[in-house]
Amino acid sequence: MKMLRAGVIGLGDMGSGLAKNLIKNDFETSGFDLSEQRMSVFRELGGRAAASVAEVARSADVVFVMVMNGGQARQVVLGEDGLVDNMKPGGVVVLTATIKPSEAREIGSAMAGSGIELIDSPVSGGFPGAQGGTLTMMAAGAPAVLEKARPVMEAVSQTIHIVGDKAGDGQTVKSCLQSLIGSIFSATFEAAALAAKAGVPGEVIYNVFSTSGAGCGVSKTALENIIDRKFEGTGSHIATMHKDLTIALDLAEQLEVPMQTASTAMQIFHAGKSKYPNGDNWVCTRVIEEIIGAELHR
């Protein structure tokens, strides 16, 4: 069977990881990003740098869309010179960006009858998962389409969950997940600040939390960055989680589900993003530390 050709639109922290692992697994990979610096890094990885989204579309059988928001995703997939108008019939778009479920449904509906298939598959695992090829995918699509794209999806992930068969199903599951992750992060920030004010060393808190029932990848990563004072450049920009919590709360409002904890997390992230717009998730702790006049160091 002929090996699938892959494409990636959006070569930032997450998209560059997708590209890296596609190339590592010997898939011919085309890519496009508005940043020339990112395109340069992509070329160094061995990727085929395209001049436009349309060029990627004409060069690939399966294209991953890893952009920031629903408007960008819609433009890439449906816009003039987008994927739908330029991929060969039978091509597959894998929507790995996190957007509103309603936006994914709109894109799916607009693609109906185009001959181009959609897999709605947001991912979890962040920068380390993307770069290491260990992402968790929440994939929704027709069984035959999922099977066709499986080889390239397996190249970038460790676990693929089939969570539905239509556009929006993957984004809905991701919204639920992000409401939990955002809440865990925020509770960790507060606990770290409490420890700082009480004079407990960060190393002690990290060791105890990591080996307790509360220990998980989310809290461990947050604590490690907090006690090492790494608030920028860790691959987990605060704008992304802020956006994801906004999406989760928007879904909750539509469904009339009370979300007290996630709502509080949203406010903590909003404070962090307002004060430190270039920071990563853990910078929220600095905002709390500044209020209490204490910092948690290793």
Side-chain angles (χ1 to χ4, degrees):
M1 187 175 73
K2 182 181 177 182
M3 196 165 191
L4 294 169
R5 299 169 302 162
V8 182
I9 306 298
L11 298 168
D13 289 336
M14 299 297 290
S16 64
L18 298 181
K20 171 185 173 182
N21 286 288
L22 289 165
I23 294 166
K24 179 181 175 182
N25 283 275
D26 298 322
F27 287 99
E28 179 185 317
T29 305
S30 301
F32 177 73
D33 193 284
L34 293 174
S35 165
E36 180 50 44
Q37 190 271 333
R38 291 175 178 177
M39 292 288 278
S40 178
V41 172
F42 177 63
R43 290 188 194 94
E44 292 173 6
L45 289 172
R48 179 181 176 275
S52 64
V53 172
E55 187 176 329
V56 173
R58 290 190 289 267
S59 306
D61 304 301
V62 179
V63 178
F64 293 88
V65 177
M66 188 59 91
V67 293
M68 187 63 179
N69 57 50
Q72 292 172 355
R74 183 178 181 87
Q75 182 64 30
V76 165
V77 177
L78 302 171
E80 186 177 351
D81 295 327
L83 298 176
V84 166
D85 286 344
N86 290 279
M87 291 185 79
K88 292 180 180 178
V92 180
V93 174
V94 184
L95 182 59
T96 47
T98 298
I99 64 175
K100 293 179 181 180
S102 59
E103 292 171 326
R105 288 192 291 270
E106 289 169 5
I107 291 172
S109 295
M111 290 176 65
S114 67
I116 308 302
E117 305 290 348
L118 177 68
I119 295 175
D120 176 22
S121 185
V123 300
S124 182
F127 179 74
Q131 298 296 320
T134 59
L135 292 169
T136 293
M137 305 190 82
M138 292 149 267
V145 179
L146 289 164
E147 191 58 33
K148 177 178 180 178
R150 181 172 288 276
V152 290
M153 293 170 69
E154 288 179 341
V156 302
S157 67
Q158 187 172 60
T159 306
I160 301 174
H161 294 288
I162 308 303
V163 301
D165 59 7
K166 61 185 181 298
D169 289 348
Q171 301 297 337
T172 299
V173 174
K174 179 67 183 286
S175 293
C176 297
L177 176 63
Q178 293 306 87
S179 73
L180 175 61
I181 290 178
S183 298
I184 295 172
F185 273 148
S186 295
T188 304
F189 304 153
E190 291 182 334
L194 179 63
K197 189 67 173 180
V200 182
E203 183 80 23
V204 171
I205 289 296
Y206 178 80
N207 290 337
V208 171
F209 283 19
S210 298
T211 56
S212 74
C216 65
V218 174
S219 60
K220 286 172 69 175
T221 298
L223 270 175
E224 191 162 24
N225 284 304
I226 291 165
I227 64 179
D228 287 336
R229 315 307 290 173
K230 294 180 179 178
F231 296 119
E232 290 187 19
T234 65
S236 298
H237 198 283
I238 192 170
T240 301
M241 178 56 70
H242 184 275
K243 176 205 68 172
D244 291 356
L245 280 169
T246 301
I247 290 171
L249 291 172
D250 179 76
L251 179 63
E253 183 174 356
Q254 290 177 31
L255 299 176
E256 298 183 346
V257 177
M259 300 278 280
Q260 286 94 336
T261 305
S263 296
T264 300
M266 177 79 252
Q267 293 306 311
I268 290 173
F269 272 90
H270 189 62
K273 182 172 178 286
S274 296
K275 184 69 182 290
Y276 297 106
N278 297 318
D280 291 345
N281 292 326
W282 352 109
V283 82
C284 294
T285 310
R286 287 190 66 186
V287 178
I288 305 172
E289 289 176 340
E290 288 163 4
I291 294 171
I292 64 174
E295 296 181 351
L296 189 67
H297 292 259
R298 187 175 285 276

